[in-house]
mmCIF file of all heavy atoms in Angstrom:
data_model
loop_
_atom_site.group_PDB
_atom_site.id
_atom_site.type_symbol
_atom_site.label_atom_id
_atom_site.label_comp_id
_atom_site.label_asym_id
_atom_site.label_seq_id
_atom_site.Cartn_x
_atom_site.Cartn_y
_atom_site.Cartn_z
ATOM 1 N N SER A 132 103.514 152.099 79.960
ATOM 2 C CA SER A 132 103.473 152.045 81.426
ATOM 3 C C SER A 132 104.334 150.909 81.970
ATOM 4 O O SER A 132 105.019 151.067 82.981
ATOM 5 C CB SER A 132 102.028 151.886 81.905
ATOM 6 O OG SER A 132 101.283 153.048 81.605
ATOM 7 N N GLU A 133 104.301 149.737 81.315
ATOM 8 C CA GLU A 133 105.148 148.608 81.678
ATOM 9 C C GLU A 133 105.943 148.169 80.455
ATOM 10 O O GLU A 133 105.376 147.949 79.387
ATOM 11 C CB GLU A 133 104.313 147.430 82.178
ATOM 12 C CG GLU A 133 103.619 147.673 83.491
ATOM 13 C CD GLU A 133 102.844 146.459 83.988
ATOM 14 O OE1 GLU A 133 102.664 145.498 83.207
ATOM 15 O OE2 GLU A 133 102.421 146.481 85.159
ATOM 16 N N GLY A 134 107.269 148.060 80.637
ATOM 17 C CA GLY A 134 108.098 147.624 79.519
ATOM 18 C C GLY A 134 108.166 148.658 78.417
ATOM 19 O O GLY A 134 107.705 148.413 77.295
ATOM 20 N N GLY A 135 108.741 149.804 78.732
ATOM 21 C CA GLY A 135 108.836 150.853 77.709
ATOM 22 C C GLY A 135 109.566 150.392 76.464
ATOM 23 O O GLY A 135 109.133 150.655 75.334
ATOM 24 N N GLY A 136 110.674 149.674 76.657
ATOM 25 C CA GLY A 136 111.398 149.135 75.517
ATOM 26 C C GLY A 136 110.880 147.783 75.087
ATOM 27 O O GLY A 136 110.548 147.570 73.914
ATOM 28 N N LEU A 137 110.773 146.852 76.061
ATOM 29 C CA LEU A 137 110.398 145.467 75.774
ATOM 30 C C LEU A 137 109.583 144.917 76.931
ATOM 31 O O LEU A 137 109.994 145.027 78.088
ATOM 32 C CB LEU A 137 111.659 144.624 75.578
ATOM 33 C CG LEU A 137 111.514 143.103 75.527
ATOM 34 C CD1 LEU A 137 110.723 142.666 74.305
ATOM 35 C CD2 LEU A 137 112.904 142.438 75.521
ATOM 36 N N GLN A 138 108.423 144.318 76.612
ATOM 37 C CA GLN A 138 107.641 143.611 77.612
ATOM 38 C C GLN A 138 107.401 142.201 77.118
ATOM 39 O O GLN A 138 106.994 141.983 75.974
ATOM 40 C CB GLN A 138 106.301 144.305 77.861
ATOM 41 C CG GLN A 138 105.524 143.730 79.039
ATOM 42 C CD GLN A 138 104.465 142.737 78.613
ATOM 43 O OE1 GLN A 138 104.021 142.727 77.481
ATOM 44 N NE2 GLN A 138 104.063 141.883 79.540
ATOM 45 N N THR A 139 107.703 141.232 77.967
ATOM 46 C CA THR A 139 107.561 139.827 77.592
ATOM 47 C C THR A 139 106.847 139.092 78.709
ATOM 48 O O THR A 139 107.087 139.358 79.889
ATOM 49 C CB THR A 139 108.929 139.195 77.298
ATOM 50 O OG1 THR A 139 108.786 137.796 77.104
ATOM 51 C CG2 THR A 139 109.917 139.431 78.425
ATOM 52 N N GLY A 140 105.929 138.174 78.324
ATOM 53 C CA GLY A 140 105.169 137.509 79.360
ATOM 54 C C GLY A 140 104.645 136.160 78.940
ATOM 55 O O GLY A 140 104.600 135.814 77.765
ATOM 56 N N GLY A 141 104.266 135.375 79.955
ATOM 57 C CA GLY A 141 103.725 134.049 79.711
ATOM 58 C C GLY A 141 104.774 133.118 79.136
ATOM 59 O O GLY A 141 105.960 133.199 79.459
ATOM 60 N N ALA A 142 104.343 132.245 78.254
ATOM 61 C CA ALA A 142 105.239 131.236 77.674
ATOM 62 C C ALA A 142 106.024 131.852 76.526
ATOM 63 O O ALA A 142 105.767 131.589 75.352
ATOM 64 C CB ALA A 142 104.426 130.038 77.192
ATOM 65 N N THR A 143 106.981 132.688 76.872
ATOM 66 C CA THR A 143 107.747 133.457 75.878
ATOM 67 C C THR A 143 109.227 133.325 76.171
ATOM 68 O O THR A 143 109.656 133.466 77.317
ATOM 69 C CB THR A 143 107.349 134.946 75.918
ATOM 70 O OG1 THR A 143 105.949 135.062 75.656
ATOM 71 C CG2 THR A 143 108.110 135.746 74.887
ATOM 72 N N GLN A 144 110.006 133.082 75.128
ATOM 73 C CA GLN A 144 111.451 133.019 75.250
ATOM 74 C C GLN A 144 112.062 134.081 74.339
ATOM 75 O O GLN A 144 111.786 134.111 73.136
ATOM 76 C CB GLN A 144 111.967 131.634 74.872
ATOM 77 C CG GLN A 144 111.399 130.516 75.734
ATOM 78 C CD GLN A 144 111.691 130.677 77.214
ATOM 79 O OE1 GLN A 144 112.836 130.933 77.600
ATOM 80 N NE2 GLN A 144 110.674 130.553 78.051
ATOM 81 N N VAL A 145 112.874 134.940 74.936
ATOM 82 C CA VAL A 145 113.500 136.046 74.213
ATOM 83 C C VAL A 145 115.010 135.878 74.272
ATOM 84 O O VAL A 145 115.572 135.587 75.330
ATOM 85 C CB VAL A 145 113.096 137.407 74.817
ATOM 86 C CG1 VAL A 145 113.817 138.541 74.108
ATOM 87 C CG2 VAL A 145 111.588 137.595 74.723
ATOM 88 N N CYS A 146 115.670 136.078 73.134
ATOM 89 C CA CYS A 146 117.124 136.032 73.046
ATOM 90 C C CYS A 146 117.626 137.339 72.446
ATOM 91 O O CYS A 146 117.157 137.753 71.377
ATOM 92 C CB CYS A 146 117.578 134.867 72.169
ATOM 93 S SG CYS A 146 117.242 133.242 72.867
ATOM 94 N N LEU A 147 118.591 137.960 73.121
ATOM 95 C CA LEU A 147 119.181 139.212 72.657
ATOM 96 C C LEU A 147 120.686 139.037 72.503
ATOM 97 O O LEU A 147 121.333 138.386 73.332
ATOM 98 C CB LEU A 147 118.913 140.350 73.642
ATOM 99 C CG LEU A 147 117.461 140.602 74.058
ATOM 100 C CD1 LEU A 147 117.406 141.733 75.079
ATOM 101 C CD2 LEU A 147 116.584 140.913 72.861
ATOM 102 N N LYS A 148 121.251 139.645 71.460
ATOM 103 C CA LYS A 148 122.692 139.624 71.255
ATOM 104 C C LYS A 148 123.086 140.859 70.461
ATOM 105 O O LYS A 148 122.563 141.100 69.380
ATOM 106 C CB LYS A 148 123.124 138.363 70.503
ATOM 107 C CG LYS A 148 124.634 138.251 70.319
ATOM 108 C CD LYS A 148 125.001 136.963 69.588
ATOM 109 C CE LYS A 148 126.516 136.859 69.425
ATOM 110 N NZ LYS A 148 126.901 135.648 68.659
ATOM 111 N N GLY A 149 124.003 141.658 71.022
ATOM 112 C CA GLY A 149 124.405 142.876 70.337
ATOM 113 C C GLY A 149 123.279 143.883 70.250
ATOM 114 O O GLY A 149 123.063 144.521 69.222
ATOM 115 N N VAL A 150 122.549 144.043 71.359
ATOM 116 C CA VAL A 150 121.372 144.914 71.412
ATOM 117 C C VAL A 150 121.638 146.057 72.381
ATOM 118 O O VAL A 150 122.336 145.885 73.386
ATOM 119 C CB VAL A 150 120.124 144.112 71.840
ATOM 120 C CG1 VAL A 150 118.916 145.009 72.049
ATOM 121 C CG2 VAL A 150 119.802 143.036 70.803
ATOM 122 N N SER A 151 121.056 147.200 72.098
ATOM 123 C CA SER A 151 121.124 148.351 72.993
ATOM 124 C C SER A 151 119.702 148.841 73.265
ATOM 125 O O SER A 151 118.938 149.088 72.327
ATOM 126 C CB SER A 151 121.953 149.474 72.349
ATOM 127 O OG SER A 151 121.974 150.622 73.166
#
Side-chain angles (χ1 to χ4, degrees):
S132 293
E133 292 182 348
L137 169 66
Q138 188 262 339
T139 173
T143 301
Q144 300 301 312
V145 177
C146 293
L147 307 178
K148 183 179 181 183
V150 174
S151 177

